[in-house]
Amino acid sequence: MHDAPSAPENPGGTMHIRTAALAGSLVIIAAATGCSGGDAKPAPTVTVTKSTTAKPSTDDSQATDGVLEMGTKKNIDDDANDVHLTVQAFEYQQPYKGPQPQKPADFQGGDIWATISIKVCNISGPNINVSPTPWSLAYEDGTSIEATGLSGGDMPKPEFPMDKPVKAGRCAAGLVAYPVPSSKRPERIVYAPDGTDPIEWAVAKS
């Protein structure tokens, strides 16, 4: 799952709107009911699909060639769907300094575990769902390492939540673990959910 607005509750109204992210597009489903009384017929269910791109703010003075310094907070505003977020990468650890999980499996492509510390805040608008999935590590040679989707057990704590709804005014924070090669370090941390321009933070060389 990617970070996406989830459905707000509206038990007493005549219109219920749900917003979800799907393959780079935002799908809005509105179910309208007819007014009571008379011979009025219920209005039909209407489904509208439109493509939108949420754009990060461009007023950040700490960006160099579009890459932010570690710890910099970035705004994301999708006015079309009233979604307003901040995202932040705080720290990269290689190897992870806490108790090491079981050594990565051979198929995962790394021999040690590294972590990023991240935070996503829902500033205003509908609920959003957060997940480690949009976060990855990018290397100078063009390769990248995606989040494994592993959780629980002896994975580094506190873990960034998986598919957690976050209300307006609330945040989600924690660690995401990656199986990385000990012989090299990533160049950037990348946040790139569907429908959003990638945001990057620079990783120190040592």
Side-chain angles (χ1 to χ4, degrees):
M1 295 288 295
H2 303 295
D3 292 2
S6 63
E9 295 182 359
N10 185 18
T14 59
M15 177 78 70
H16 187 77
I17 298 177
R18 182 179 66 189
T19 306
L22 178 61
S25 297
L26 293 175
V27 180
I28 301 177
I29 303 175
T33 60
C35 299
S36 60
D39 296 327
K41 296 181 179 180
T45 298
V46 179
T47 302
V48 180
T49 303
K50 62 178 180 178
S51 295
T52 64
T53 299
K55 293 195 176 293
S57 62
T58 56
D59 57 357
D60 200 314
S61 60
Q62 299 189 60
T64 301
D65 295 330
V67 181
L68 304 174
E69 293 181 6
M70 191 70 73
T72 302
K73 183 185 296 183
K74 194 70 173 176
N75 297 328
I76 298 178
D77 296 301
D78 179 3
D79 294 328
N81 294 283
D82 192 30
V83 175
H84 305 280
L85 315 176
T86 62
V87 294
Q88 195 171 10
F90 289 100
E91 183 183 21
Y92 177 76
Q93 292 185 19
Q94 179 181 325
Y96 168 59
K97 298 173 184 177
Q100 282 284 314
Q102 184 177 354
K103 185 178 178 180
D106 292 340
F107 72 87
Q108 292 176 315
D111 59 319
I112 60 170
W113 289 99
T115 60
I116 59 173
S117 176
I118 58 176
K119 186 175 185 179
V120 177
C121 294
N122 185 357
I123 304 304
S124 64
N127 293 356
I128 63 170
N129 286 334
V130 298
S131 166
T133 305
W135 297 84
S136 63
L137 304 177
Y139 289 80
E140 189 175 5
D141 61 5
T143 59
S144 63
I145 297 178
E146 309 296 322
T148 63
L150 298 176
S151 62
D154 61 351
M155 298 302 289
K157 304 292 188 294
E159 295 179 73
F160 189 77
M162 175 71 72
D163 298 331
K164 177 183 179 180
V166 178
K167 297 180 179 180
R170 305 286 179 85
C171 299
L175 300 175
V176 182
Y178 298 86
V180 300
S182 57
S183 59
K184 62 179 183 178
R185 289 173 66 86
E187 184 180 58
R188 291 160 284 122
I189 294 170
V190 181
Y191 174 76
D194 289 346
T196 303
D197 292 338
I199 301 172
E200 300 179 333
W201 291 263
V203 174
K205 294 184 177 180
S206 61

